[in-house]
């Protein structure tokens, strides 16, 4: 990493290359074989088989495996004992195993599907690089580059590798994706700084060359580049658990705990009641099966992937299924400004001429045609300057596209001016052709102005027109007159004052202001043939006529203010974190509502009360604009204080590291933080965030890799949609779980009562599986389709420590209230069926041992009738069916209860999911009608 | 994604748990104040009282609505089961074996039969009337005492040689054992469609091979006047009619499989799932000892 200090010849020696001839193809191939292609290694993927096996043992699967193994063990014992019907247990074990495997395959399939979406997304268009090899210039795919290659870059190219420059002309690079600096940095061949990151003679991989040309030696490729190291750092941060994963884990622990403790407790009771160990084991399996909601994990996966699909339609691509819910629990969004909140495109926002400020149309589609008065002759003059003093051009062949969408060659402000003029005046190219340019001085940082001289389009007027634009104060210095209503008036101090006021006002809105002036050169001094020389400036550049100001801003997207206010009402704090200037940041924050109209910063209060900033009570200020420089000197406590005390915060001029600090600060407050970002430099923050959101259009691959979600349209409003979907899925999962848990009690009670009251078995293990995996699946999934309740975006985000997916209330309500009711209902059915067949409830109590005795074939019922063992078993199976039907019918009622949490059922619409009711009914009828099921 | 739950040490967890159980600062017991717990307990108490009340009410109304004399449905009980005494069950159902010369091996069987027949002594049957007609004893009214119906008398002497009166050892020492076959009661079941159902024992799988059997009462019939049965409440003293079979030429030391079917209209014995519905089977093996195996209505002999 000392390459920036070496001289050209030393570099040639080090890399065995020649500046003029480049590497030989053979040598390049050798190095390529040694170093590998010049591309970032994608994050290491877990082998498919491991993913698959994880699905097989995760969650409840382990419990079910235990159940299956127990079944097989008891089958083995029974077989060895030569018992009569050992195969029941074999089948039960097989069914349990099949359930686990099918659920596993299903979950795996769902996950694979969402991964595939991402895989297709990450395919990049191969980048080209101009390389000198074998003394010839060649276009090569950038991943073929090797260390020592000589590459040429020009404005607009992406730097294909880390390059030590050996020749540069007016070269500037945009390092924003690496360092977050928004200003282009100039590059030369000189060693300027010890730190390779600061020195001017190195250009970094994945940054963009904005202008100029350069030639350099490739010194690092692929993962060894600076950006590669950052990217691998980010991918090194392991993916940690999402809130929903934690919730589900919590739920699994809870259910498994209940299942195992009840199971073991009753196993002990059963054994101490002198039941056979084998029977007790079967009984234990029954309890486990009854307690574990087998279908639930599949349901959760389906629900999440349905939501993910729905979100993809709304331009939110979810990489990680569980991230869907994370977004719903988000309580702070740290949003980038450029591109997310704004259109990422300079647009003319205001004009100042005739001593008056006019607003221009900044909307995306330029709907309002004439937003300001265009009758003034001053406007005609101004528009001419705007049109002529501009080097930007449309790329040809875009005549059919809307003006705003056309690609322009030129820098951001010139592009804005060009589009502005094109919209209002029509064909700019034609106007320029009619006003032939005779001389031009492009903008440079010392002059701070741009000048050009044109022939006029009026054939009678032989004067030349000199037009100039630039930094307003510099332009004003060169002017002696000012145009008011088309007339030149002397620029006195009063008019200069007016200019200053307008300039301050526009600047105060965070806008970039340009001044425009012109001068008609007198015909006698500057005849047709006058040789204009831009180097010696043989023409006047002072005593010009000031025409007006134009100010530009990157305007907010039209959907953003609404989205921000939605976030507000949803209790989500939106924090702007940007690398931009505080003034611009604050202006945008105000215009989108991140800082609301009524709230003030400490500085605002100080200004209003006319007291020093230090005397202001910081608690009074709801808003805060924090500069990156201040942030640098702050302790963590101070940061926490700011995050706590102000509801509206803008961080301006922040570096990527500070972004990370801010995210951590928010997380210390216990918030679930969403971060948006697009650059490589954002990727650590994206990883650190609870949910990282990358921009699909502007985002770099590293950002997309680090993120959990990708906004395909780069639009902040999509996040709000995502939040809504996330909350919806949480609500609906809660409903699903409540629905699923309820019947567990009704399934569990039979086993307990069976042991305690010694009644014939009310329901069989396989029948339970029929409910869990058959009749209940579709209604649970249907609940995931449930529409949002009216208040979904008006309540605060859930507190991840308190608002659990399965909390005490839900469990208690499901288990101890609704569940008990269901059990009571099912038992009434059970007793009724037995009573109608001859066994009154009083007879059933304590009857189990005799009932199950194969040697008793004249078992007497309450009416004196006698039953053989098989006849009793048949009756017992009828009882299973009755219990089963009873549970499914009560589950329909349960479904109606669970449809809403807060709304009344009539608000929500009772029969919106009619098919699920019908399905449930058809299922249970189906099971009753076909007698073969009775043998289960 | 950032982590949400920080790692805690075990002692911290224990401390947290203790704090959860009793928090001295907020006076919270398991996350609630004591008074809160009282209210919750009261609520659940009330809730469960109501639930139990509802359950009791349901069961009560169920009991009020069921017919006390006969069950509402009999679709699970279409054909009577058949049982055998003595009923010794092994791994594969009824299995009876004994040694002719070793009285310890058959004493138990004899006692079973004797005990079983105590319900058929004249004393035990004194409430029942003597019936002579050979038709169904249909009673539409309650003619018996205390709103009951009359039952016909069946006394053990009707089993003649197998009654245990003339031969208290039921022919076990002689190798000609008696077995008593009983048909299960089904309310209002009319077997045989007018002709008395009878017991018929054969070797399993080889029905042509002659099996010498004496049936008691004659022909091994269940007299029709014992049917129909009107239920425990209407006929409290009803006792099932019996048929005794005495095997006369059991081959010793051979395992025999014998089936005894009850033949009569309305009695099915071809239910593959139920070995005890309407039939009997025997297996035989001849040795110095006599073994008799039986599987429900299936006997397995080994003499």
């Amino acid at each position: 990493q000392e390459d920036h200090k070496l001289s050209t010849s030393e570099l040639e020696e080090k890399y065995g290359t020649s500046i003029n001839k480049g590497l030989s193809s053979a040598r390049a191939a050798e190095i390529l074989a040694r170093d590998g292609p010049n591309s970032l290694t994608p994050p290491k993927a877990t082998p498919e088989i491991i993913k698959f096996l994880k699905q097989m043992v995760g969650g409840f699967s382990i419990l079910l495996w235990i159940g299956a193994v127990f079944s097989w063990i008891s089958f083995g014992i029974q077989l060895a004992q030569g018992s009569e019907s050992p195969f029941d247990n074999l089948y039960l074990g097989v069914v349990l195993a099949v359930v686990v495997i099918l659920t596993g395959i299903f979950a795996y399939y769902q996950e694979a599907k969402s991964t595939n979406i991402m895989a297709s997304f990450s395919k990049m268009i191969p980048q080209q690089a101009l390389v000198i090899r074998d003394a010839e210039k060649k276009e090569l795919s950038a991943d073929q580059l090797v260390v020592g290659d000589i590459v040429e870059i020009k404005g607009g190219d992406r730097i294909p590798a880390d390059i030590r420059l050996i020749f540069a002309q007016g070269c500037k690079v945009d390092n924003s994706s690496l360092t977050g600096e928004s200003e282009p940095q100039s590059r030369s061949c000189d060693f300027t700084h010890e730190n390779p990151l600061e020195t001017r003679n190195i250009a970094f991989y994945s940054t963009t060359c904005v202008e100029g040309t350069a030639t350099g030696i490739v010194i690092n490729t692929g993962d060894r580049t600076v950006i590669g190291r950052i990217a691998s750092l980010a991918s090194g941060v392991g993916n940690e658990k999402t809130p929903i994963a934690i919730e589900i884990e919590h739920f699994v622990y809870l259910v498994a705990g209940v299942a195992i403790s009840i199971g073991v407790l009753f196993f002990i009771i059963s054994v101490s009641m002198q039941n056979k160990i084998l029977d007790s084991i079967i009984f234990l399996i029954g309890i486990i099966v009854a307690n574990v909601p087998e279908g639930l994990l599949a349901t959760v996966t389906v629900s999440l992937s349905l939501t993910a699909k729905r979100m993809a339609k709304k331009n939110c691509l979810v990489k990680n299924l569980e991230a869907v819910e994370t977004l719903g629990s988000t309580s702070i969004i740290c949003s980038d400004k450029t591109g997310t909140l704004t259109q990422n495109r300079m647009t003319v926002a205001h004009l100042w001429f005739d001593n008056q400020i006019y607003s221009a149309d900044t909307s995306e589609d330029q709907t309002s045609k004439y937003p300001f008065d265009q009758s003034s002759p001053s406007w005609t003059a101004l528009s001419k300057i705007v049109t002529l003093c501009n080097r930007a051009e449309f790329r040809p062949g875009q005549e059919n596209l809307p003006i705003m969408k056309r690609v322009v060659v030129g820098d951001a402000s010139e592009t804005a001016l060009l589009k502005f003029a094109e919209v209002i005046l029509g064909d700019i190219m034609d106007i320029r052709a009619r006003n032939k340019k005779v001389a031009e001085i492009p903008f440079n940082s010392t002059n701070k102005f741009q000048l050009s001289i044109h022939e006029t389009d009026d054939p009678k007027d032989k004067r030349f027109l000199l037009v100039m634009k630039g930094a307003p104060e510099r332009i004003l210095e060169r002017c002696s007159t000012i145009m008011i209503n088309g007339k030149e008036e002397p620029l006195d101090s009063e008019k200069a004052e007016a200019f200053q006021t307008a300039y301050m006002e526009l600047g105060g809105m965070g806008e970039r202001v340009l001044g425009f002036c012109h001068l008609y050169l007198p015909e006698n001094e500057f005849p047709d043939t006058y040789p204009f020389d831009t180097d010696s400036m043989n023409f006047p550049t002072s005593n010009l006529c000031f025409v007006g100001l134009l100010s530009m801003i990157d305007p907010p997207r039209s959907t953003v203010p609404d989205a921000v206010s939605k976030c507000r009402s949803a209790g989500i704090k939106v924090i702007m974190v940007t690398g931009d200037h505080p003034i611009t940041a604050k202006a945008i924050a105000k215009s989108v509502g991140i800082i609301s109209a009524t709230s003030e910063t400490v500085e605002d209060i100080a200004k209003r009360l006319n007291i020093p900033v230090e005397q202001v009570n910081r608690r009074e200020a709801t808003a805060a604009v924090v500069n990156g420089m201040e942030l640098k000197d702050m302790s963590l406590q101070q940061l926490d204080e700011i995050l706590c005390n102000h509801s509206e915060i803008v961080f301006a001029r922040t570096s990527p590291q500070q972004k990370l600090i801010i995210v951590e600060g928010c997380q210390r407050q216990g918030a679930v933080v969403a971060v948006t970002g697009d650059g490589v430099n954002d990727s650590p923050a994206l990883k650190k965030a609870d949910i990282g959101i990358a921009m699909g259009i502007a985002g770099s691959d590293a950002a997309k890799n680090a993120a959990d979600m990708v906004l395909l349209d780069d639009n902040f409003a999509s996040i709000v949609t995502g939040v809504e979907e996330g909350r919806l899925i949480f609500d609906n999962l809660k409903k699903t779980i409540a629905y699923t848990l309820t019947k567990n009690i009704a399934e569990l009670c039979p086993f307990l009562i069976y042991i305690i009251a010694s009644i014939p078995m009310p329901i069989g293990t396989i029948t339970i599986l029929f409910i869990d995996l058959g009749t209940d699946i579709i209604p649970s999934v249907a609940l995931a389709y449930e529409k949002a309740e009216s208040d979904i975006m008006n309540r605060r985000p859930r507190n991840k420590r308190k608002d659990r997916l399965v909390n005490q209330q839900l469990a208690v309500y499901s288990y101890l209230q609704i569940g008990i009711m269901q059990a009571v209902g099912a038992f009434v059915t059970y007793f009724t069926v037995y009573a109608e067949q001859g066994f009154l409830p009083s007879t059933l109590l304590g009857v189990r041992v005799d009932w199950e005795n194969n040697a008793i074939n004249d078992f007497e019922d309450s009416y004196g009738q006698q039953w053989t063992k098989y006849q009793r078993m048949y009756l017992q199976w009828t009882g299973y069916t009755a219990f089963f039907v009873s549970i499914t019918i009560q589950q329909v009622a349960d479904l109606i209860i669970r449809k809403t949490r807060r709304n009344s059922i009539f608000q929500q619409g009772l029969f919106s999911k009619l098919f699920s009711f019908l399905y449930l009914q058809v299922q249970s009828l189906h099971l009753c009608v076909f007698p073969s099921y009775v043998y289960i | 994604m950032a982590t949400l739950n920080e790692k805690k040490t075990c002692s911290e967890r224990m401390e947290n748990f203790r704090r959860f159980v009793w928090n001295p600062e907020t006076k919270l017991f398991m996350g609630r104040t004591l008074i809160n717990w009282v209210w919750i307990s009261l609520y659940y108490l009330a809730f469960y009282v109501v639930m139990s009340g509802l359950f009791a009410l349901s069961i009560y109304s169920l009991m009020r609505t069921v017919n006390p004399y006969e069950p509402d449905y009999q679709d699970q009980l279409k054909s009577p089961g058949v049982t055998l005494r003595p009923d010794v069950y092994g791994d594969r159902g009824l299995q009876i074996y004994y040694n002719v010369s070793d009285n310890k091996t058959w004493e138990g069987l004899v006692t079973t039969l004797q005990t079983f027949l105590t319900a058929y002594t004249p004393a035990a049957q004194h409430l029942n009337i003597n019936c002579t007609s050979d038709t169904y004893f249909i009673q539409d009214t309650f003619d018996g005492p205390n709103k009951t119906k009359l039952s016909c008398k069946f006394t053990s002497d009707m089993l003649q040689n197998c009654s245990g009166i003339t031969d208290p050892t039921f022919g076990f020492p002689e190798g000609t054992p008696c077995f008593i076959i009983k048909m299960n009661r089904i309310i209002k079941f009319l077997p045989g469609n007018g002709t008395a159902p009878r017991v018929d024992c054969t070797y399993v799988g080889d029905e042509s091979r002659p099996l010498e059997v004496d049936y008691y009462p004659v022909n091994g019939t269940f007299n029709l006047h014992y049917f129909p049965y009107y239920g425990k409440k209407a006929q409290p003293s009803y006792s099932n009619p019996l048929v005794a079979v005495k095997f006369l030429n059991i081959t010793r030391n051979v395992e025999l499989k014998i089936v005894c079917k009850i033949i009569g209209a309305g009695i099915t014995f071809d239910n593959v799932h139920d070995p005890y519905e309407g039939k009997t089977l025997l297996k035989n093996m001849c040795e110095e000892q006599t073994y008799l195996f039986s599987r429900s209505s299936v006997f397995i002999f080994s003499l």
Side-chain angles (χ1 to χ4, degrees), chain A residues 15 90 193 253 267 272 287 361 367 413 441 448 450 495 527 578 588 612 638 716 757 821 864:
Chain A
Y15 293 109
L90 177 67
H193 202 284
Y253 282 150
F267 179 76
S272 57
I287 286 189
D361 181 13
T367 37
S413 356
I441 300 173
K448 300 226 168 174
Q450 179 181 351
K495 295 205 172 66
T578 177
I588 293 292
Q638 279 171 311
F716 185 80
M821 284 191 210

Side-chain angles (χ1 to χ4, degrees), chain A residues 543-582:
Chain A
N543 292 328
L544 310 175
C545 170
F546 192 86
V547 180
L549 294 169
L550 241 74
S551 68
M552 282 160 293
I553 197 162
D554 181 8
R557 289 166 183 270
S558 49
T559 46
V560 170
D562 188 38
V564 170
S565 79
K566 269 189 186 162
C567 284
R568 260 295 138 69
S569 57
I572 302 169
K573 201 160 155 179
V574 183
I575 294 179
M576 185 196 273
V577 182
T578 177
D580 218 330
H581 290 273

Side-chain angles (χ1 to χ4, degrees), chain A residues 34-83:
Chain A
R34 185 191 69 197
D35 290 350
N38 173 35
S39 58
L40 299 183
T41 346
K44 211 195 281 168
T46 330
E48 295 298 304
I49 186 74
I50 301 279
K51 279 194 206 164
F52 183 66
L53 288 180
K54 258 189 187 161
Q55 300 289 359
M56 288 292 175
V57 294
F60 297 116
S61 307
I62 212 86
L63 271 185
L64 292 182
W65 280 122
I66 293 173
V69 168
F70 274 147
S71 305
W72 286 324
I73 291 173
S74 45
F75 162 68
I77 297 172
Q78 280 178 325
L79 197 67
Q81 287 178 344
S83 178

Side-chain angles (χ1 to χ4, degrees), chain A residues 395-457:
Chain A
R395 283 241 176 106
Q398 305 186 82
E399 285 71 22
N400 300 329
L401 286 174
I403 293 164
M404 284 299 157
K405 296 236 170 89
R406 292 189 201 165
V407 180
V408 174
V409 187
D411 76 17
S413 356
E414 296 221 310
T415 304
L417 293 173
L418 175 64
K419 286 184 174 172
F420 172 71
E422 179 88 12
V423 166
I424 294 173
L425 302 173
D427 195 344
I428 296 296
M429 291 305 155
D430 182 48
I431 299 176
R432 286 197 196 158
R434 281 189 276 123
N435 297 274
K436 228 182 111 226
K437 191 190 287 177
V438 289
E440 181 179 45
I441 300 173
F443 184 87
N444 69 49
S445 45
T446 41
N447 290 344
K448 300 226 168 174
F449 68 79
Q450 179 181 351
L451 174 152
S452 58
I453 300 168
H454 299 260
E455 293 169 5
T456 58
D457 51 354

